[in-house]
Amino acid sequence: MNVNAKSSSAADLLLAKAEELHYTQPSRSLSLTKEAMHQYVSNGNSLGIANSKFLLGRLFYISGAFSQSIRYQQEALKLYTKLGKRRSMAEVHSSLGTTYYFARQTQKAMQEQELAMAIYLELDDSKGIALTLTRIGHLREKEKKPQRALQLHERALVYCHKKTDSIVYAEIYENIGSVYEDLEAFDKALEYYQLAFTLNQSEIGKEARITLLNNIGDCYRKMGNFEKALLFTGKALAEARKSNNNYEARSAFRDFSKLYDLKKEFRLSKMYLDSAYELTDIIYTDEGAQQIALLSTFYELEQKDREIELLDKNKRNATLTGWIYLQTGLIVCILLFVIIWRQRVRMKSDRRNLKAQELVVETKQQLMQVELDNARLRESKLSSDLQNQYLLERELQQELELRSQSLSSHTLQLIEKNGLLESLQQSLKKAIKAEGAEKNKQLREVSRQIDFSFHRDRDWSNFEHFFAQVHASFYDKLKEHLTDISRTEQRLCALIKLKLESKEIAIILGITVDSLRIARYRLKKRLKLDEADSLGSFIELL
């Protein structure tokens, strides 16, 4: 093995170690990457240089230094293009798309993802196609095009293999859940978030699991299921604290604040909101420190590189070296100033937001008190109205009972009258057969009974008057079923409505029980009732 091959092998090991540490120890990863790149440069290994620049770009992306990230990724892309490495080109395009998205340049993000898609389709790389489709779908979601986003996510699922690409599957499911959450289809959103959570069980998916727990809790909050919302948000907070993930912990605190605000527990809402803002300060401070450390490491390495180059070219050119030091120092100072200035602007903005939130909470409390006072007044008025209603109903009930008693009294009088008429008929028959003094005696008795009957009865008009008061709409309803109903049929229906025995009805109407049976049968036929139907039940329902 020649010297160049050995050197490239050592550089590969350095780059592999840098790749392993780039999330957990970015500063250490940066040093290893730069060292590996020096060796690749010395050996003329263009592919190694491209890989190193790509990793540098991702390191700056993690630290939030997007302009430096884009610069190194574009340099890597040029080298991959020159070398004809199509798959690597697609990976850089996709990574640039993500970087532009977080740098709030969505149009460029879409262009990069579409370039990545074209290459993955050319290579028939199903995993790459699936990932790019779902990321384009995510961009469409942010453009407020949910249906188009869902179509892209569903296409992405077609290209995935669930057993081998579970992490890709999980990302797609999470993106679909996000679209349904935006559409307020919270049941569907929960379904996909839970599928994504199930697939993210490896160590690689630990951060995604915390995000999913927060998303699930957020869905339950929006659905009004506060108990489950508190459960999942609590799990997210516990996992975030365990892994020192301040971003997801802050998100959980904010969700708790919203939950308790909806539950009108404003003290707890404010407490969690304060915790969220405290974490925001810590995050900005840590971000600033991380960016400063990374940039300091980078510029120290750059400075050493330039020193070596200057010493190799001209050891006597001390002035030029001083200028490089000065330039580097100025750049570092400018960057430090920009970072600190941005951090202070963010902190001021957050404090203003906190004051506005506190004002909203106080206003809500005042509104709650006003609503409570109004509710008490409404309750008092309702109680008074109910009492008046009760007295009115009682008065109406008493009046109805009195009218029912009058109706019953007149009904009995009719029964007695017609019974008397029947008796008179019998007496007249006897008088006709009698002779002399006995006939006169019986006729005088008939006259006396008729006089007595006139004094006891005020005819059918009184009966119908009281019946109409007790059963106000009975005759109208009856005429709806039989428009040409006779007066005799109306009287028969009224007596049936009073649930009188057939014998009593016959007496009142002055007919025999058999004649009454025939009258009932004819009335039933005119009302077009079936043979099995009861005339009494029909009239009772009117």
Side-chain angles (χ1 to χ4, degrees):
M1 185 181 288
N2 60 36
V3 176
N4 285 344
K6 287 182 180 179
S7 180
S8 292
S9 178
D12 291 342
L13 290 173
L14 286 171
L15 196 63
K17 186 64 177 177
E19 182 79 40
E20 181 183 334
L21 298 174
H22 82 286
Y23 268 115
T24 55
Q25 300 179 44
S27 296
R28 174 64 178 151
S29 177
L30 179 64
S31 300
L32 293 171
T33 305
K34 289 291 288 183
E35 188 175 346
M37 191 162 71
H38 283 312
Q39 293 186 23
Y40 287 134
V41 170
S42 299
N43 301 329
N45 188 333
S46 298
L47 180 59
I49 295 169
N51 292 337
S52 301
K53 287 182 179 289
F54 187 25
L55 182 53
L56 284 172
R58 284 180 286 148
L59 281 166
F60 282 112
Y61 161 77
I62 291 168
S63 69
F66 298 126
S67 58
Q68 289 90 343
S69 172
I70 290 167
R71 190 187 89 191
Y72 278 101
Q73 288 186 78
Q74 287 175 339
E75 290 177 5
L77 181 61
K78 287 177 183 177
L79 288 170
Y80 285 137
T81 304
K82 189 175 180 179
L83 294 166
K85 298 293 182 181
R86 303 291 288 166
R87 193 178 304 278
S88 297
M89 288 167 61
E91 289 173 0
V92 177
H93 280 304
S94 182
S95 178
L96 274 169
T98 304
T99 308
Y100 277 124
Y101 171 74
F102 283 102
R104 302 183 187 280
Q105 299 182 51
T106 51
Q107 189 173 357
K108 286 187 176 181
M110 182 64 75
Q111 290 171 357
E112 293 295 336
Q113 294 293 359
E114 287 172 349
L115 288 169
M117 173 60 70
I119 298 172
Y120 281 131
L121 286 169
E122 175 190 325
L123 298 172
D124 195 23
D125 185 334
S126 59
K127 183 176 179 180
I129 293 168
L131 268 173
T132 310
L133 278 170
T134 196
R135 287 169 184 171
I136 293 172
H138 187 65
L139 289 170
R140 293 300 185 201
E141 179 192 348
K142 300 307 174 186
E143 291 175 353
K144 308 298 182 186
K145 297 177 181 177
Q147 297 304 325
R148 179 60 180 149
L150 283 174
Q151 290 171 0
L152 290 163
H153 295 318
E154 286 166 1
R155 279 183 60 198
L157 288 174
V158 174
Y159 286 94
C160 264
H161 303 287
K162 201 164 189 177
K163 290 183 179 178
T164 57
D165 300 331
S166 60
I167 298 299
V168 180
Y169 241 94
E171 183 176 339
I172 298 169
Y173 282 150
E174 182 179 358
N175 287 338
I176 293 174
S178 177
V179 176
Y180 279 120
E181 186 177 355
D182 289 345
L183 292 171
E184 298 184 354
F186 300 118
D187 287 334
K188 296 288 289 181
L190 281 172
E191 177 186 344
Y192 282 99
Y193 282 148
Q194 286 164 347
L195 284 170
F197 183 83
T198 303
L199 290 171
N200 267 315
Q201 295 304 312
S202 66
E203 187 64 20
I204 299 171
K206 184 164 73 172
E207 300 298 322
R209 285 200 304 275
I210 301 171
T211 303
L212 286 164
L213 284 169
N214 264 327
N215 290 341
I216 292 169
D218 205 31
C219 278
Y220 278 123
R221 173 177 61 80
K222 291 173 181 176
M223 293 168 72
N225 190 337
F226 298 145
E227 184 177 349
K228 285 194 174 181
L230 287 168
L231 174 66
F232 282 95
T233 305
K235 286 181 180 180
L237 180 59
E239 289 294 325
R241 283 177 165 171
K242 191 186 295 182
S243 60
N244 293 320
N245 189 330
N246 287 333
Y247 290 94
E248 292 301 333
R250 178 179 62 179
S251 180
F253 279 133
R254 285 174 175 168
D255 286 346
F256 271 128
S257 176
K258 292 174 184 176
L259 269 167
Y260 284 113
D261 183 62
L262 290 172
K263 293 179 73 176
K264 303 195 184 305
E265 295 181 29
F266 300 113
R267 186 182 61 80
L268 286 173
S269 173
K270 186 176 181 301
M271 182 186 78
Y272 281 109
L273 189 63
D274 290 342
S275 299
Y277 282 121
E278 286 173 8
L279 263 185
T280 299
D281 290 341
I282 293 169
I283 287 168
Y284 287 155
T285 302
D286 290 345
E287 274 185 352
Q290 186 179 1
Q291 288 183 4
I292 290 167
L294 193 64
L295 289 169
S296 297
T297 303
F298 176 77
Y299 283 108
E300 283 173 9
L301 292 169
E302 286 286 310
Q303 181 180 326
K304 287 178 182 177
D305 292 344
R306 290 178 183 178
E307 283 179 11
I308 292 166
E309 288 174 8
L310 287 172
L311 287 169
D312 289 340
K313 288 180 179 180
N314 192 353
K315 292 182 180 179
R316 294 172 297 176
N317 198 349
T319 305
L320 184 58
T321 304
W323 276 109
I324 290 171
Y325 274 118
L326 180 61
Q327 183 184 16
T328 303
L330 283 171
I331 291 170
V332 171
C333 288
I334 291 167
L335 286 170
L336 288 174
F337 173 77
V338 170
I339 290 166
I340 293 168
W341 176 77
R342 286 180 61 192
Q343 184 177 341
R344 287 182 177 177
V345 169
R346 285 181 184 177
M347 289 175 69
K348 285 180 182 178
S349 175
D350 287 340
R351 287 193 185 98
R352 284 195 298 270
N353 291 337
L354 178 59
K355 287 180 180 178
Q357 188 73 17
E358 287 174 350
L359 182 60
V360 169
V361 170
E362 289 174 5
T363 305
K364 284 185 177 180
Q365 288 174 334
Q366 291 172 0
L367 288 173
M368 283 285 293
Q369 186 60 45
V370 171
E371 287 176 6
L372 183 61
D373 292 341
N374 289 338
R376 286 172 180 164
L377 288 172
R378 287 194 297 270
E379 185 180 355
S380 174
K381 185 176 182 301
L382 180 61
S383 176
S384 176
D385 290 345
L386 287 172
Q387 182 67 22
N388 292 337
Q389 183 70 21
Y390 170 75
L391 292 173
L392 180 60
E393 288 177 358
R394 186 173 177 185
E395 183 180 341
L396 290 172
Q397 183 65 31
Q398 289 173 350
E399 184 178 346
L400 183 61
E401 289 174 359
L402 181 61
R403 290 178 178 178
S404 297
Q405 290 172 3
S406 299
L407 177 62
S408 300
S409 173
H410 280 78
T411 304
L412 290 172
Q413 287 179 21
L414 282 171
I415 294 170
E416 289 176 4
K417 171 199 169 184
N418 288 331
L420 178 61
L421 289 173
E422 187 178 355
S423 174
L424 288 172
Q425 188 181 43
Q426 297 300 322
S427 298
L428 283 171
K429 286 179 181 179
K430 288 179 182 179
I432 291 167
K433 293 178 181 179
E435 295 181 359
E438 181 62 27
K439 178 183 285 189
N440 291 333
K441 181 182 177 182
Q442 288 185 3
L443 287 174
R444 281 195 299 272
E445 179 60 23
V446 168
S447 177
R448 187 189 66 80
Q449 288 178 353
I450 289 171
D451 288 340
F452 180 74
S453 174
F454 279 133
H455 286 293
R456 286 291 307 273
D457 181 32
R458 297 176 66 185
D459 67 31
W460 270 98
S461 63
N462 285 335
F463 169 80
E464 290 175 342
H465 170 72
F466 285 109
F467 183 85
Q469 286 184 336
V470 177
H471 304 285
S473 58
F474 176 76
Y475 288 126
D476 292 334
K477 290 179 181 177
L478 193 58
K479 286 178 181 178
E480 288 176 5
H481 293 277
L482 191 60
T483 54
D484 60 342
I485 190 167
S486 68
R487 192 169 185 82
T488 302
E489 287 171 333
Q490 286 183 1
R491 289 175 178 174
L492 173 57
C493 290
L495 295 171
I496 293 171
K497 179 73 173 178
L498 293 176
K499 298 182 181 179
L500 297 179
E501 299 290 338
S502 294
K503 184 177 180 181
E504 293 172 334
I505 295 172
I507 290 170
I508 292 172
L509 294 175
I511 58 176
T512 65
V513 174
D514 289 337
S515 298
L516 173 63
R517 190 178 299 111
I518 292 168
R520 288 174 67 108
Y521 176 77
R522 287 175 178 169
L523 179 59
K524 185 175 178 179
K525 292 282 283 183
R526 276 170 49 74
L527 288 169
K528 298 180 181 178
L529 298 179
D530 294 336
E531 189 174 343
D533 293 337
S534 167
L535 179 62
S537 299
F538 172 78
I539 291 172
E540 177 64 25
L541 293 172
L542 292 178

